[in-house]
Amino acid sequence: NKQGFYEYQPKTKNNRLLSEFYFGVWRDNQKDDHGVYLWLNEDVNAVPFSDFDAASFDCYCGEITNEAFSHGTYMSKKGEEYFLYHGGFNSSNEKHGDNCFYYNATKDELMFGNVRHNKYINGFIAMFDEDGKMTHIMQYEYDENGNIKQNKQKEEIEENLLGNVCNNM
């Protein structure tokens, strides 16, 4: 019970060191309430935590209920690609909720909308230039296969709805 830190037994696979850490609240020997998970994937010959560019990692920070993610922020770095998600999760740790954010740093895209079972179903996508200025925004809806079913460009989106979305982004 209370706060604690747990380092799982590291594993080696394909010349990569796979490490997993948890820091957070425990209740009855279960991760519960708030916590931080970190999964690190590094070259076995690297000094741990020394080469950020070469490392890959996933990290979750947020609410945990009965050992499952509940609501929080999930970050991922795979080589040169960076992703960040903030929102809800279901009991299978799938991204699942309303009013969720997903930022793809590789493409400079920010999505705001509703997610079910790791898939966005509807919302808004904003794109940015290298100076961080929004260059494009659209409203979208996906079908059950993940294909865009409906798409409205900035000019077609109601002004008050666009204003609310931009204030939330």
Side-chain angles (χ1 to χ4, degrees):
N1 287 327
K2 298 194 179 184
Q3 284 195 353
F5 176 80
Y6 188 81
E7 180 178 355
Y8 295 81
Q9 181 68 37
K11 299 172 186 167
T12 305
K13 182 178 180 180
N14 299 331
N15 211 30
R16 305 289 293 173
L17 180 63
L18 310 172
S19 305
E20 182 177 348
F21 308 91
Y22 172 77
F23 175 76
V25 177
W26 298 78
R27 284 199 178 91
D28 299 323
N29 290 324
Q30 302 283 314
K31 298 168 205 78
D32 200 44
D33 199 356
H34 284 82
V36 176
Y37 269 100
L38 175 64
W39 298 270
L40 187 61
N41 182 336
E42 298 181 289
D43 185 304
V44 293
N45 299 315
V47 175
F49 300 103
S50 67
D51 191 355
F52 182 79
D53 291 334
S56 292
F57 70 85
D58 290 280
C59 179
Y60 172 79
C61 179
E63 297 172 31
I64 297 171
T65 305
N66 299 322
E67 297 267 331
F69 305 158
S70 179
H71 191 273
T73 302
Y74 193 97
M75 297 167 281
S76 184
K77 178 190 176 293
K78 305 284 188 243
E80 298 293 318
E81 297 181 351
Y82 300 87
F83 305 95
L84 184 133
Y85 168 84
H86 180 79
F89 294 83
N90 64 18
S91 60
S92 299
N93 286 340
E94 294 174 316
K95 297 167 187 81
H96 194 95
D98 295 328
N99 300 320
C100 302
F101 287 94
Y102 176 78
Y103 179 63
N104 181 333
T106 309
K107 294 181 179 180
D108 271 333
E109 289 181 352
L110 178 64
M111 298 180 186
F112 172 73
N114 302 315
V115 180
R116 299 294 180 267
H117 306 287
N118 285 334
K119 294 180 182 177
Y120 270 84
I121 57 169
N122 58 40
F124 296 87
I125 300 174
M127 290 151 226
F128 300 87
D129 65 16
E130 58 196 31
D131 295 325
K133 181 180 175 188
M134 187 185 302
T135 59
H136 191 76
I137 187 167
M138 69 178 200
Q139 186 176 10
Y140 64 95
E141 185 175 340
Y142 290 104
D143 66 17
E144 59 278 352
N145 297 319
N147 300 312
I148 292 181
K149 171 167 86 170
Q150 180 183 356
N151 162 352
K152 291 182 182 178
Q153 302 301 317
K154 179 180 178 183
E155 299 76 27
E156 302 171 284
I157 302 170
E158 295 177 33
E159 277 299 317
N160 61 342
L161 180 59
L162 186 59
N164 287 338
V165 169
C166 290
N167 287 335
N168 286 315
M169 290 182 146

